[in-house]
């Protein structure tokens, strides 16, 4: 997947400025594709040049003018082509996992601290996903929303983010507990 597809997907629901895109990216698309704001601005310029998004200038009285972007028919066709392609398997690349792999040969105190910190981060992200899911479905149950909701795609990707964060939190907590227990055994020898 290229950043362009993530940006096109983020623009499907609303016309957004680069700043709004960066904010919405952080709350939605960033769950499965990370990009820095400057990367997003550069990609918007490329997408506009390629005719996949259309930008328009909005004049503001008390602030600088801004550009709003929306997906064009060609952009939607590009997303259609992209979604028809076979998805490649994903691979985990995580510094903390590599560090834990080295646990038998290094001081584990910093690892325990990092695992504890990551578990807290994952817990906070899971709480955020839970609130986002509740906001998306409103007063409906999850099953009602999944059957009849207006936009099920963002909901399903949010569910994927929630599952990922729960699994990450559980792994971090279990790994930290194992390393603490092994530390305690070594201390009593």
């Amino acid at each position: 997947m290229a950043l362009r597809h993530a940006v096109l997907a983020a623009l499907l629901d609303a016309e957004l400025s680069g700043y709004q895109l960066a904010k919405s990216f952080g709350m939605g698309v960033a769950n499965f594709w990370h990009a820095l704001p400057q990367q997003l601005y550069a990609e918007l310029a490329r997408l506009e040049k390629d005719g996949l998004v259309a930008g328009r200038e909005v004049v503001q009285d008390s602030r600088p003018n801004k550009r709003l972007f929306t997906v064009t028919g060609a952009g939607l066709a590009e997303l259609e082509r992209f979604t028809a392609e076979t998805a490649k398997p994903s691979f985990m690349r995580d510094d903390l996992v590599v560090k834990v792999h080295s646990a038998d040969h290094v001081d584990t105190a910093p690892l325990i601290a990092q695992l504890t910190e990551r578990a807290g981060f994952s817990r906070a992200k899971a709480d955020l996903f839970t609130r986002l899911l509740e906001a998306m479905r409103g007063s409906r149950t999850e099953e009602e929303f999944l059957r009849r909701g207006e936009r099920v795609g963002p909901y399903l990707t949010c569910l994927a983010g929630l599952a990922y964060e729960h699994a990450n939190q559980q792994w971090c907590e279990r790994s930290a507990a194992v390393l603490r227990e092994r530390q305690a055994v070594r201390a009593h020898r």
Side-chain angles (χ1 to χ4, degrees):
M1 173 171 76
L3 177 58
R4 70 182 16 224
H5 300 113
V7 170
L8 288 169
L11 288 171
L12 285 173
D13 290 323
E15 184 179 47
L16 300 174
S17 68
Y19 174 76
Q20 291 168 316
L21 176 66
K23 280 180 61 180
S24 77
F25 218 81
M27 293 297 291
V29 179
N31 301 320
F32 50 89
W33 192 268
H34 175 74
L36 299 171
Q38 57 267 34
Q39 292 172 303
L40 294 174
Y41 285 106
E43 191 59 43
L44 276 172
R46 282 190 289 275
L47 288 168
E48 187 173 26
K49 179 177 163 269
D50 294 344
L52 301 179
V53 300
R56 68 180 179 92
E57 184 112 0
V58 175
V59 177
Q60 302 185 107
D61 292 331
S62 60
R63 291 184 278 187
N65 295 346
K66 67 180 177 179
R67 288 187 56 73
L68 295 177
F69 297 90
T70 188
V71 177
T72 63
L76 197 51
E78 173 58 21
L79 274 175
E80 189 75 36
R81 184 202 61 73
F82 172 70
T83 58
E85 288 179 354
T86 301
K88 297 174 184 151
S90 61
F91 298 96
M92 182 169 49
R93 288 179 59 174
D94 189 326
D95 293 351
L96 186 54
V97 175
V98 174
K99 292 175 181 184
V100 170
H101 186 82
S102 306
D104 299 311
H105 303 282
V106 299
D107 177 12
T108 56
L111 292 177
I112 293 167
Q114 290 174 51
L115 286 161
T116 302
E117 180 181 46
R118 172 80 63 86
F121 177 78
S122 289
R123 189 177 313 103
K125 285 274 293 218
D127 290 345
L128 173 64
F129 286 134
T130 299
R131 289 192 305 276
L132 288 171
L133 290 165
E134 289 169 354
M136 281 189 249
R137 70 176 176 264
S139 62
R140 293 171 282 194
T141 67
E142 184 164 272
E143 290 309 312
E144 287 175 308
F145 182 83
L146 291 173
R147 269 194 303 276
R148 295 183 184 85
E150 298 78 40
R151 288 272 289 124
V152 74
Y155 195 89
L156 292 172
T157 57
C158 198
L159 283 176
L162 180 62
Y164 173 81
E165 294 303 341
H166 278 307
N168 201 22
Q169 177 186 346
Q170 290 170 351
W171 175 78
C172 288
E173 289 171 348
R174 182 169 188 213
S175 298
V178 167
L179 294 176
R180 274 190 208 96
E181 185 178 319
R182 292 175 63 91
Q183 246 182 0
V185 168
R186 278 195 298 269
H188 285 92
R189 284 188 186 164

